[in-house]
Amino acid sequence: MKVMVVGGGGREHAIIRKLKENSSIEAIYALPGNGGIAADATCVSIAATDLDAIVDFAKANAIDYAVVAPDDPLVLGCVDRLNAVGIPCFGPEAKAAIIEGSKAFSKDLMKKYGIPTAAYEIFTELDAAIAYLKTAPIPTVVKADGLALGKGVIIAQSREEAIEAVTDMMANAKFGKSGSTVVIEEFLTGPEVSVLAFTDGNVVKPMVSSMDHKRAGDNDTGLNTGGMGTIAPNPYYTNEIAQECMEKIFLPTIRAMKAEDRAFKGCLYFGLMLTPNGPKVIEYNCRFGDPETQVVLPLMESDLLTVMQATTNGTLAETEVKFADQHACCVITASAGYPESYQKGFEITMSDEACAHTYVAGAKLQDGKLLTSGGRVTGTTAVADSLEEAVREAYRLADGVQFEKAYRRSDIGQRGLAALK
Ligand code: AMP
Ligand code: GLY
């Protein structure tokens, strides 16, 4: 079987390594992949958003199954285009990917179907947004409607800051078209949990829960990033809460999407906040999270390709989705300066042991050398019987990944360990 994975970050590397456990796969192509992924798949230099080139490549190479991992090709309709030429895919069609592609859509969906989320208002006119903010409770949360590389969310601590945020989005087009509509919502508090779930449109099977560490600095200080590390399972996510989420959030969401004729197939990511008033949805993503995938898939015992195909074929009910009763920790090594400006082009060296536990996110191969080419460069994951051991081991292994100006948070997993005590 020939499989193609669209995307080229740490998440895609984790997906490819896991897929490789299936011996029926004879070739894996990554579009575009990266210098580190090249050790595990054939990288093809086609951008993840170049849908014409992706379809041409898939046809020319008789691809049997495609995994579309990032949000932008999904929202652009990559799965629709591949399905149209007869190639089965893992991932939602565009009409279902809108659950991430438009926050206004997802908020209205939750309101219509009674799914718990922060109270909100949607604005398409700047004047109306500013008028509303003059009396809105502070802090307040301003979100650009569309995809904004994870940067379209502003937690405003003052009215002035909130007004500046909506003005930037709506009048100054800070996020392009993504910000012409804004959602202004209630500020919620509580621990955050990421739950990725497989779904075939009817049945939903959650994966092990996880915790991201989004801020750049230790003790959750500094700027928001794509994620500086993860642990799984998330200690705040008890069996009782999991059951409540299944009944009040996961199943109602899958049913709502089906009722709207937007049946969702693939991986639906629930970004949850465990508020004093129960779990609420902070965001939906139409794809695997990154770096959540880098702790979730190493704990997966079932065959990934089999489960993915079950979401495509509508046979998830009969397919086992099993996770090890263990703990995982992933430590991201980034380029100093990330998420703002940083230098690129430094050679990366890894011990063999570190390499076997490391997913590469931002690197390219040049003259046989692996060079840094992004903000987040690698994710190193350890699996162990306790969280404490997984954290210790992930840091020990990450020390085997070296390059100039490498930066890691030193406290990944500490909040989780404190919660266990
Ligand atoms: P998002 O891009 O939607 O994941 O938002 C980024 C981060 O902003 C989330 O992980 C939360 O930490 C925070 N956030 C988003 N919405 C809210 C909210 N309504 N209340 C408090 N924090 C929020
Ligand atoms: N780690 C957050 C995300 O993938 O959106």
Side-chain angles (χ1 to χ4, degrees):
M1 211 175 152
K2 288 185 182 180
V3 176
M4 166 178 106
V5 175
V6 175
R11 162 184 57 204
E12 287 75 10
H13 201 177
I15 290 171
I16 287 167
R17 283 246 180 104
K18 185 71 192 163
L19 284 173
K20 280 179 73 178
E21 292 174 9
N22 183 311
S23 58
S24 74
I25 298 179
E26 80 226 30
I28 304 188
Y29 299 94
L31 283 59
N34 68 44
I37 290 176
D40 289 296
T42 304
C43 295
V44 183
S45 109
I46 292 175
T49 49
D50 188 349
L51 304 195
D52 291 337
I54 291 170
V55 171
D56 287 347
F57 176 86
K59 282 199 296 192
N61 291 278
I63 295 298
D64 299 297
Y65 192 69
V67 177
V68 183
D71 47 5
D72 21 4
L74 288 166
V75 171
L76 287 170
C78 191
V79 167
D80 312 56
R81 291 282 305 275
L82 288 165
N83 285 344
V85 295
I87 297 168
C89 294
F90 180 77
E93 294 175 317
K95 68 179 180 183
I98 191 175
I99 198 165
E100 173 169 5
S102 167
K103 292 196 195 292
F105 169 85
S106 68
K107 295 299 289 192
D108 285 347
L109 183 87
M110 288 187 270
K111 185 190 262 178
K112 180 170 171 188
Y113 291 90
I115 298 164
T117 188
Y120 71 101
E121 298 286 337
I122 295 172
F123 296 95
T124 52
E125 302 290 341
L126 178 61
D127 292 349
I130 291 177
Y132 171 78
L133 284 172
K134 289 202 166 130
T135 56
I138 297 295
T140 190
V141 184
V142 178
K143 300 186 172 184
D145 174 54
L147 299 180
L149 298 168
K151 293 184 182 125
V153 175
I154 309 291
I155 314 272
Q157 301 292 345
S158 68
R159 243 169 259 294
E160 295 67 39
E161 200 185 331
I163 290 171
E164 189 185 320
V166 293
T167 308
D168 274 349
M169 288 179 192
M170 303 182 83
N172 306 336
K174 187 164 179 190
F175 300 108
K177 258 175 53 191
S178 288
S180 56
T181 297
V182 299
V183 175
I184 300 181
E185 68 178 36
E186 173 196 10
F187 176 74
L188 299 176
T189 55
E192 285 184 59
V193 182
S194 305
V195 179
L196 320 185
F198 290 107
T199 170
D200 62 3
N202 290 303
V203 170
V204 58
K205 295 203 172 173
M207 300 176 223
V208 61
S209 64
S210 54
M211 181 195 287
D212 196 357
H213 297 68
K214 285 195 171 154
R215 301 295 201 90
D218 282 359
N219 302 315
D220 300 320
T221 55
L223 292 171
N224 242 326
T225 71
M228 293 300 295
T230 36
I231 58 166
N234 184 319
Y236 290 104
Y237 192 72
T238 60
N239 289 338
E240 202 181 351
I241 293 174
Q243 195 169 343
E244 188 180 355
C245 290
M246 180 55 93
E247 285 161 17
K248 295 186 179 157
I249 296 175
F250 305 160
L251 282 171
T253 301
I254 298 306
R255 289 182 188 136
M257 290 297 278
K258 193 175 175 195
E260 296 290 316
D261 190 26
R262 296 175 186 274
F264 189 103
K265 293 178 171 205
C267 172
L268 184 52
Y269 169 131
F270 297 88
L272 307 172
M273 197 171 266
L274 309 181
T275 78
N277 300 315
K280 296 194 179 183
V281 177
I282 289 283
E283 62 164 346
Y284 292 114
N285 292 326
C286 65
R287 51 169 175 88
F288 280 102
D290 194 355
E292 285 90 341
T293 305
Q294 300 182 48
V295 282
V296 168
L297 291 186
L299 290 172
M300 187 171 173
E301 291 182 332
S302 312
D303 176 60
L304 179 59
L305 179 67
T306 306
V307 175
M308 284 181 157
Q309 288 178 310
T311 70
T312 311
N313 302 335
T315 52
L316 193 58
E318 305 91 86
T319 306
E320 187 181 58
V321 179
K322 205 168 160 239
F323 286 81
D325 192 12
Q326 285 182 292
H327 297 259
C329 174
C330 170
V331 175
I332 298 292
T333 305
S335 306
Y338 171 76
E340 294 189 294
S341 63
Y342 51 83
Q343 289 172 274
K344 302 179 193 177
F346 298 117
E347 185 174 356
I348 304 167
T349 59
M350 282 189 242
S351 65
D352 288 346
E353 192 190 20
C355 188
H357 288 84
T358 295
Y359 304 116
V360 176
K364 62 173 184 186
L365 272 176
Q366 198 171 298
D367 305 326
K369 288 181 181 168
L370 195 59
L371 306 180
T372 67
S373 70
R376 288 190 294 176
V377 177
T378 54
T380 303
T381 299
V383 171
D385 289 336
S386 71
L387 176 59
E388 201 171 356
E389 223 179 308
V391 171
R392 199 182 322 119
E393 186 62 3
Y395 273 101
R396 187 186 69 76
L397 290 163
D399 278 339
V401 178
Q402 295 186 340
F403 54 89
E404 225 177 297
K405 304 260 162 73
Y407 168 74
R408 291 187 262 277
R409 268 180 67 162
S410 68
D411 66 338
I412 303 302
Q414 293 307 318
R415 201 152 29 95
L417 285 168
L420 285 176
K421 283 180 188 141

